[in-house]
Every structure is written in C-alpha cells, then in structure tokens.
Amino acid sequence: MNRPVCQVLRAVALLGLLLLCAAQQPYAQPVGERKPLQYTTMGDTTALLRVIEQANSLSASNRDSAIGLLRQALTRSEASAYVTGIRRGLNVLLPLLQDADKNQLLDRLESSCTQLQALQPALAVIYNARAKISQLKEQYELAGNYYMQAIPLARQYMPDYLATIYNNYAALLLNMPQDSLDHNKKSLYYLDKADEVARKYNDQKIITCVLCNKAKIYRNQGRYAESMRLAQAGLQLARQHHFAQWEYVLLNNIGDLYHLTGQYEKAIPYLEEAIANPNQPVDPYYRNMAIFTLGEVHLKLGHYKKAEQYFLESLAAARRYGIGRDLMEGSRKLAELYAAGKDYAQAYGYQLAYSNISDSLRNREVMDNVQRLEIKYRSAEKDKELLLSKLHIEQQAKSLHNKNTIILLSIALVLVLVLVTLALYSRFRQKQKILLREEQIREMQALMQGEEQERIRLAQDLHDGIGGMLAAVNMNMNVAEKKDFEDKAGLRVIMQMIEQTADEVRKTSHNLMPSALLRNNLKEALQYYCDNINRSGALFIDLDIHCDPDKIRTPYKTVVFRIVQELIQNILKHASATYAVVSLEQTRDTLNLIVEDNGLGFDLREKAMGFGLENLSYRVKGLGGSVDIRSEAEAGTSITVNLDMTTLN
C-alpha cells in the first residue's frame, strides 16, 4: 500500500476516534440556548490527547487533515472545559495557520474562556499566543502587555506554563531594538526563571528554548564561542526529543553564527539541513530566516545565482505570510545583488520596492502609535471616572478605618493594662514563692545546725562521760587484778567486756561526729568512715573523689557526710551487697554524689522508698537539689544526688 493511501486511512481513523468521543455528549441544542458545561471522563481526555499527538505527527505530511482534527479536538476540549486539551491543541495548531485564522480562532476561544469560570486558566495560553503573534509582527508593546496578562494567570492555575511565558517574554526583550544592553540583562533574568521552572517540571522543550535564546544573547554580545556551545547543546536536545521547530531554529542560529564569524562554508550544511524538509510544521517566520541567511552566505561567497534564488524565495514567502521586515530586507539584498552584477534596472526596481516597503512600515508604525495613543486616551478617561468613584469609596473607607483604629487602639490599651496587671501579679507571686523558699531553706539550715549540735553534744557526752567512766572502771579492775582474788579468770572476762564497750562507745562517738569533720576536712572524714566499714568485712567500699570538697561551706560538709552515711547504712541493712562505690564529682555548678552497690536491688514500681530514703529525699530537696534512684531486682541499686554548688558554697 502506497504512502498517500496510508496517510488518508490514518486521518479517517483519527476522525472516527474523535467522533466516538463526541458521541458520548448530548445532541446539540437549539441556537440561543446556553449549552451546559459537560466535563470529560478519563477516557475522553485520553482520547483527546491521543488525537492531538497523532495530528501533530500527521501535520508534516498532511497539513489540512491535521488542522481539521486539531480544530475538532479544540472544540471538544472547549465544550468539556478541558484546559489541557486547549493548551496542547493550540500549541500544535497555531504554527499551521495563517495569521487571520489564528486571530479568528483566538477571538472565539478568548470569548468562551472569559465567560466560563472553568475555562479561565486557558486564558494564559491564549494571551501567550496573542503575544507571540504580536511579537512576530514587531508590535512589541502590545506583545509585552499580553505577556503581563498571561503571567499571573499561569502562576495561579498552571505554574509549569510559567516556563513557556518567561522564555517567550525574554525572547521579546531580546528582539526590541532600543536599550539593547538593558534588554539583554532583563532577558537573561527571565531566561533563568524559565530554566528554573522548566527543570522543576522536566520540560525539555523549554530547556531547549532557553538554550537557544541564551545563545542568541551571547551572539549579540559578540561572545561567539559561548553562543556556539549553547546552540549545539540545544540542537542535541531538540534532535533527541524531536522538537522540529526548535531544531529548525537552532540549525539556522548555528549557520548564522558561522556566517557572522566569516566561516561561510561551515554555515551552509546547517542552513540547508534546516530548509531540507518543507513539510515540517515550522512557523513560516522561522523558516524564512534560514532561507534569507542562506542567500546572505552565498552572496558573501560570490555565488550570485544561488544567492538570487534564496533571496527571491525568501521574498515570495514574506509576501505570502505578510512578514514585513523580510519583505524590506529581501528587497534591499536583491538591490545590492543586482547592483553588484551591474543589472542596474533590477537593482533600481528592488531599491524602489525597499524604499516603499520601508515607508509603509514606518507609516504602519505611526498608525499603530496613533491607535495606541487613542486607546490610552480612552483608558485615561475611564480611569478618571473610576478614580473619582474610587476617591469617594476611599473617603468612606478612611472614615471607617479611623473609627476602627480608635476601637482597636482602645482594645489594645485595655489588653496592655490587663497584661501589665497580670505581669505585676505574676511577679508578686514569684517573689512570694522565692521568699517562702528562702524561709524554708533557713528553717532547714537551722534544723540541720540543731541536729549537728545535738550530735556533737552526744558524741562529747559519750566520749567524755560514759567513755571516761568505763575507762576508770577498767583501771580499777586492773588494780584489783594484781591483788589475790580467787576468780581472776572471771575478772579478766569482765575487763575484756568493759574494753569492748569502751571501743564501741568510741566508734559511735566518731561516727556521730568524726574528728576530721570537726576539722572541716570532708574528704578525710569520708575516707575514715569507709575504711572503718572496709575493716569490718561487712562491705567493701571504693571511695572516688574528683572535686575539691574544701570549697563547700562547713554546714553543708556535714550534710554531704550524713547523706553518704545514710546511703551506706541502707546498703548494709537491706542490700546484702559485697561491693559499693561512692563517687563525688563536680560538673560546673552541680555537685554529683553517686552511690552504687551490687546488692539485691528492688523494683521501684512495686516497692516504695523506705523511711531513710524518703527522709534523705526531703533533706536534699530542701537544699534545692534532686535525688535519682535506679534499681532492678537482682541488679543492684544506683542513687545519684545532685546539689547546687552555688548554695553549698
């Protein structure tokens, strides 16, 4: 089967697919009745997108069939409020249409999108398309206005489309004639924004466009090597993803770069490849650029016949598609060509045509300027009316604002007074708590001092009173032993018992108040106490001190000693331990006392603290410290006492 028949069959199949989608909708309503909005199903949207893609493939070989399919796909998308269908359909269809058909289609779509809320996101695509058309006609101010309308819509409804608009606006700035340096800076700024959005959404087409436009900027700045590098990178992407139009533009740009740098022979293959397939769906404006550049290259090489051929072809395309600047430049180049060949009659004719077209373009620019001024005047009149109305509204709003301000200030003042009152009350309560706390500490200190004084008195009484009496008894018994008592063995037993009693009284006296502690030496007192326990064989204690206990004030040295004493006594009474560690260390402003044993331990959830531990906990908290008890059955016990050094010092 030959190729034309296959193409016709493909077009018929696509048309059938589109009609099948349309068959799912209600029949058309009479003229004048508002057709309700019909939303597409997932199957509808998939079919529509498939039709658009296949029509895009068909456009190179059968433009008319592709245009028909795309028009139906757009109508269907419009009726179904399918914005993606409108966006993709327009992107494929517009390059295939003449300017008049483009404007007619965009007018109809803009009217529908303005009236229907669901279609308003598509206005971003429509304004972008109108801007592109105005840009190609060199109506730069109008194009800029359309881009400025498209940007906020895209930002709100389709943020990925911002990449397209930023890229196109950058290209507009690049083509504007005045302030080229400033426009190049602005253009690079918008191209960077376009590249950022495109890479975020992986839009390879816009990344290709950005590379193309940046290459053009560097070319304008005379940075030809950088321009060539970006253009080649863009061409590679365009070929990889089959972006026909941008492949065409980049081929032309690379050829133009070689032309500008005097490498004419290298320019020809790129330009000839660009125009090799006339059926590619490429905008006529871009196609004509390559044809015109080829004419310039051959003119530079002295190939006058080929140059004439390409200039005439460019001129014919410019007439067909109404590309004013190419009409003017083509006439000028042909006049230059014929003058070089001494065909002065032809040269004169084209020079005259160049002058007429140049004047016509200038007159058109004047008319466009007059129309823009008229539009601005009418807009100014409307703005004046709106301004008066707005002024009246603003006066009312200002009056209301003043009232609201007074109310708000009053509320704010009340709130400030309430907050100040609460702050003062909170500060008073805090001060009361501090005073109460200080009073509790003073009471605790007085209590501890009283306890220690009582302990000292008891120790002295034991040592000086009972101890002295027992010593006297022992001495008398020694004297009696030398006499002739009949039961000397019994007497010796009594003497041993008295000596043991005296030793026990002495130990008790030292435990109540070690002499080292009376000399304010906490480390020596702790060592003496632990050594006594170790000598008894009931428990081995490893004393480990990593601080300077002498910095602690005297009353609190006694507190630390009593805490150690209480914890060791608990181990002896309840833990059945064989080994214990007493560690005293300082970290910044905290004194850490750690006592650990390898005893039986206990489950904190099942067994409450005994009276000794509870009393110790109250005593530590009274000094502003904390007690942490960790124990498990058959795993020993670890008790950490943290005391504030600022209090102890």
Side-chain angles (χ1 to χ4, degrees):
M1 190 178 292
N2 59 20
R3 186 174 178 180
V5 174
C6 290
Q7 291 172 350
V8 171
L9 288 175
R10 186 188 296 173
V12 171
L14 290 172
L15 184 58
L17 181 63
L18 194 62
L19 290 172
L20 183 63
C21 294
Q24 298 176 12
Q25 296 297 320
Y27 292 106
Q29 296 179 345
V31 177
E33 293 186 15
R34 182 73 177 175
K35 185 177 179 180
L37 195 62
Q38 300 291 331
Y39 292 94
T40 56
T41 64
M42 183 62 71
D44 294 336
T45 59
T46 304
L48 279 170
L49 293 179
R50 189 159 59 245
V51 167
I52 292 168
E53 291 303 318
Q54 292 178 350
N56 185 31
S57 302
L58 186 64
S59 62
S61 56
N62 196 332
R63 180 185 292 254
D64 292 338
S65 297
I67 289 173
L69 286 171
L70 288 166
R71 283 187 179 277
Q72 291 185 52
L74 274 174
T75 302
R76 173 78 181 124
S77 298
E78 182 186 354
S80 306
Y82 184 40
V83 175
T84 302
I86 294 174
R87 172 178 167 178
R88 295 195 182 179
L90 279 178
N91 287 342
V92 178
L93 179 58
L94 288 176
L96 305 177
L97 298 178
Q98 300 286 343
D99 282 353
D101 294 330
K102 289 179 184 178
N103 289 325
Q104 186 179 5
L105 173 64
L106 292 173
D107 286 342
R108 180 177 63 77
L109 285 174
E110 185 176 352
S111 175
S112 299
C113 294
T114 305
Q115 293 175 25
L116 291 176
Q117 179 70 27
L119 284 175
Q120 284 191 3
L123 285 171
V125 183
I126 293 167
Y127 290 145
N128 178 68
R130 287 195 181 281
K132 285 280 290 180
I133 294 168
S134 302
Q135 184 175 336
L136 293 175
K137 290 181 178 179
E138 299 177 13
Q139 298 171 342
Y140 299 126
E141 186 177 350
L142 184 60
N145 288 337
Y146 278 126
Y147 283 134
M148 289 301 105
Q149 291 181 72
I151 286 173
L153 287 166
R155 188 179 291 120
Q156 181 178 358
Y157 296 113
M158 47 178 78
D160 62 309
Y161 195 62
L162 277 170
T164 300
I165 301 171
Y166 285 148
N167 175 74
N168 292 345
Y169 186 59
L172 168 70
L173 294 171
L174 194 58
N175 290 325
M176 293 177 74
Q178 69 273 19
D179 299 329
S180 59
L181 182 63
D182 185 47
H183 286 160
N184 281 342
K185 289 181 181 178
K186 289 183 180 177
S187 183
L188 281 172
Y189 168 77
Y190 280 102
L191 286 174
D192 287 339
K193 288 172 73 72
D195 188 64
E196 180 184 349
V197 177
R199 292 187 186 278
K200 179 180 178 181
Y201 293 98
N202 195 28
D203 190 338
Q204 295 297 321
K205 187 173 183 180
I206 297 302
I207 293 171
T208 306
C209 299
V210 168
L211 289 170
C212 178
N213 285 324
K214 283 189 174 182
K216 189 174 181 182
I217 291 174
Y218 292 150
R219 183 197 66 186
N220 293 346
Q221 294 175 342
R223 298 157 64 180
Y224 298 125
E226 293 175 80
S227 178
M228 181 64 75
R229 179 178 58 80
L230 292 179
Q232 291 286 4
L235 180 60
Q236 184 180 354
L237 272 179
R239 283 174 169 164
Q240 181 183 344
H241 297 283
H242 308 292
F243 301 142
Q245 178 159 306
W246 290 105
E247 181 181 358
Y248 196 97
V249 172
L250 285 157
L251 285 168
N252 178 69
N253 287 357
I254 293 170
D256 191 39
L257 271 171
Y258 282 128
H259 166 239
L260 287 173
T261 54
Q263 303 177 71
Y264 305 120
E265 295 292 347
K266 288 185 178 181
I268 291 173
Y270 287 96
L271 296 168
E272 286 181 343
E273 184 184 350
I275 64 172
N277 186 0
N279 293 321
Q280 283 284 3
V282 176
D283 194 293
Y285 174 83
Y286 296 119
R287 183 179 297 280
N288 215 37
M289 285 167 52
I291 296 170
F292 184 82
T293 307
L294 258 175
E296 286 193 300
V297 169
H298 283 294
L299 181 61
K300 294 286 175 127
L301 290 170
H303 305 157
Y304 297 121
K305 283 294 180 185
K306 284 192 174 182
E308 180 186 16
Q309 172 194 334
Y310 287 121
F311 284 140
L312 287 171
E313 186 180 346
S314 172
L315 201 60
R319 287 195 189 100
R320 185 163 59 252
Y321 295 108
I323 307 173
R325 187 161 294 277
D326 286 358
L327 275 171
M328 183 175 69
E329 290 300 318
S331 299
R332 184 175 67 82
K333 282 293 179 181
L334 282 167
E336 183 183 329
L337 175 68
Y338 288 128
K342 298 184 179 180
D343 187 348
Y344 298 115
Q346 289 271 48
Y348 174 74
Y350 280 106
Q351 184 63 38
L352 186 62
Y354 166 73
S355 299
N356 291 335
I357 294 167
S358 179
D359 292 341
S360 174
L361 286 175
R362 274 195 290 271
N363 289 335
R364 190 179 73 183
E365 288 176 2
V366 169
M367 290 300 296
D368 288 344
N369 287 333
V370 169
Q371 288 177 356
R372 281 197 292 271
L373 286 172
E374 185 179 357
I375 291 169
K376 287 181 180 179
Y377 170 74
R378 290 178 181 175
S379 298
E381 289 296 310
K382 289 182 180 178
D383 290 344
K384 186 177 179 181
E385 293 176 6
L386 289 172
L387 188 62
L388 290 172
S389 174
K390 187 178 178 181
L391 185 62
H392 179 64
I393 293 169
E394 284 181 353
Q395 287 175 344
Q396 291 181 331
K398 188 175 181 180
S399 175
L400 182 62
H401 175 72
N402 290 338
K403 291 179 182 177
N404 290 339
T405 302
I406 293 171
I407 293 170
L408 287 173
L409 286 173
S410 301
I411 293 171
L413 183 61
V414 171
L415 285 174
V416 168
L417 290 172
V418 170
L419 289 173
V420 169
T421 303
L422 288 173
L424 290 173
Y425 177 70
S426 175
R427 187 176 177 184
F428 171 75
R429 289 289 303 274
Q430 191 68 23
K431 192 173 181 180
Q432 289 295 107
K433 287 181 180 178
I434 292 170
L435 291 172
L436 181 61
R437 179 73 175 169
E438 289 176 350
E439 182 64 26
Q440 289 174 344
I441 290 173
R442 283 195 294 271
E443 290 176 359
M444 179 68 71
Q445 288 174 342
L447 179 62
M448 288 189 297
Q449 286 175 357
E451 287 180 352
E452 291 307 316
Q453 288 173 358
E454 183 63 18
R455 286 173 184 267
I456 291 168
R457 187 188 65 77
L458 285 171
Q460 288 174 346
D461 287 348
L462 284 171
H463 186 273
D464 299 338
I466 299 173
M469 291 169 62
L470 288 172
V473 169
N474 187 39
M475 185 175 62
N476 290 328
M477 292 299 294
N478 283 330
V479 173
E481 186 183 12
K482 295 175 182 179
K483 297 181 180 180
D484 294 331
F485 282 102
E486 294 179 0
D487 191 7
K488 291 188 178 182
L491 185 61
R492 280 194 293 272
V493 170
I494 293 171
M495 289 170 61
Q496 286 176 353
M497 290 175 64
I498 292 171
E499 285 179 3
Q500 289 172 358
T501 303
D503 288 339
E504 193 62 33
V505 169
R506 188 165 50 255
K507 286 180 184 178
T508 302
S509 174
H510 278 294
N511 284 339
L512 282 170
M513 183 53 62
S515 58
L517 199 58
L518 290 173
R519 295 195 302 271
N520 293 327
N521 194 322
L522 176 60
K523 183 176 181 180
E524 186 181 335
L526 287 172
Q527 189 66 59
Y528 177 81
Y529 179 72
C530 292
D531 288 345
N532 277 344
I533 301 294
N534 291 342
R535 279 194 296 271
S536 70
L539 175 69
F540 181 79
I541 303 172
D542 188 0
L543 178 64
D544 197 5
I545 298 177
H546 296 287
C547 65
D548 186 3
D550 291 337
K551 290 183 179 179
I552 302 173
R553 284 196 293 166
T554 300
Y556 297 113
K557 288 180 182 178
T558 307
V559 172
V560 173
F561 179 81
R562 296 302 177 206
I563 291 171
V564 173
Q565 203 173 33
E566 179 69 36
L567 292 174
I568 294 299
Q569 289 301 315
N570 272 340
I571 294 172
L572 290 169
K573 290 178 183 176
H574 308 295
S576 299
T578 59
Y579 179 76
V581 176
V582 177
S583 176
L584 196 63
E585 56 188 38
Q586 182 180 346
T587 56
R588 293 190 179 179
D589 294 332
T590 304
L591 182 70
N592 303 310
L593 170 62
I594 303 168
V595 179
E596 297 178 339
D597 67 69
N598 65 347
L600 297 175
F602 60 93
D603 192 337
L604 289 168
R605 293 171 297 180
E606 296 178 0
K607 187 175 181 181
M609 289 190 298
F611 177 75
L613 285 179
E614 191 171 355
N615 185 39
L616 181 142
S617 179
Y618 284 136
R619 182 180 297 181
V620 171
K621 287 179 181 178
L623 292 172
S626 63
V627 179
D628 178 35
I629 302 174
R630 298 184 183 184
S631 182
E632 291 183 13
E634 305 299 331
T637 303
S638 174
I639 299 177
T640 303
V641 177
N642 300 312
L643 295 169
D644 187 355
M645 282 296 290
T646 56
T647 302
L648 300 182
N649 292 343

